[in-house]
């Protein structure tokens, strides 16, 4: 996972007011979250990780969804999180007008730079 693209994806989702808050107003519980905390994490992480996926692919890199809870003491195999993230990616591709404006600008810039570099 590219930390810079992860931060940028959260910045794009946060919007102007939340960008002034520590961690863009996101809560974060460290690894070892409870099942309820993990569900809350996954709900708020769908859009940022979908953006991170688009940014990463624009840079011609591979992307992996991160549940970010390696030491969970419950079964995470029934989570639909990865599918939810990729479904959001598909929605952004199918309807680019729903992309946050800053994400759209960054994605265009990354595509321009990476396409130019690959020629």
């Amino acid at each position: 996972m590219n930390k810079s693209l992860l931060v940028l994806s959260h910045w794009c989702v946060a919007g102007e007011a939340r960008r002034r808050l520590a961690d863009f107003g996101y809560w974060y519980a460290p690894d070892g979250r409870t099942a309820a905390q993990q569900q809350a994490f996954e709900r708020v992480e769908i859009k940022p990780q979908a953006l991170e996926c688009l940014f990463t692919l624009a840079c011609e890199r591979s992307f992996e969804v991160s549940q970010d809870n390696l030491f969970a003491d419950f079964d995470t195999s029934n989570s639909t999180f990865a599918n939810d993230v990729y479904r959001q990616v598909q929605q952004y591709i199918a309807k680019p007008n729903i992309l946050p404006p800053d994400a759209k600008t960054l994605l265009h810039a990354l595509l321009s730079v990476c396409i130019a570099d690959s020629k």
Side-chain angles (χ1 to χ4, degrees):
M1 170 173 35
N2 183 314
K3 182 98 171 145
S4 298
L5 293 178
L6 175 64
V7 171
L8 283 170
S9 68
H10 281 89
W11 183 85
C12 288
V13 172
E16 192 173 327
R18 283 187 30 218
R19 289 176 187 160
R20 295 185 198 115
L21 302 174
D23 293 328
F24 309 127
Y26 286 99
W27 64 270
Y28 184 80
D31 202 6
R33 289 186 287 273
T34 65
Q37 288 173 319
Q38 186 63 26
Q39 286 176 343
F41 168 84
E42 291 179 5
R43 274 193 308 276
V44 300
E45 277 293 302
I46 292 169
K47 288 184 178 180
Q49 287 203 31
L51 292 177
E52 181 188 357
C53 177
L54 289 171
F55 299 157
T56 302
L57 294 175
C59 296
E60 300 180 336
R61 304 279 189 235
S62 61
F63 172 78
E64 290 185 30
V65 171
S66 174
Q67 287 181 305
D68 196 30
N69 199 10
L70 301 175
F71 300 109
D73 64 354
F74 58 93
D75 182 10
T76 61
S77 64
N78 293 326
S79 172
T80 63
F81 182 57
N83 288 334
D84 296 339
V85 169
Y86 290 124
R87 193 172 311 118
Q88 184 65 55
V89 169
Q90 291 172 334
Q91 288 177 356
Y92 284 146
I93 291 169
K95 299 177 184 174
N97 60 310
I98 66 171
L99 276 165
D102 292 316
K104 189 183 295 188
T105 300
L106 179 57
L107 187 56
H108 282 275
L110 289 171
L111 286 167
S112 296
V113 169
C114 293
I115 288 171
D117 284 351
S118 66
K119 289 182 180 179

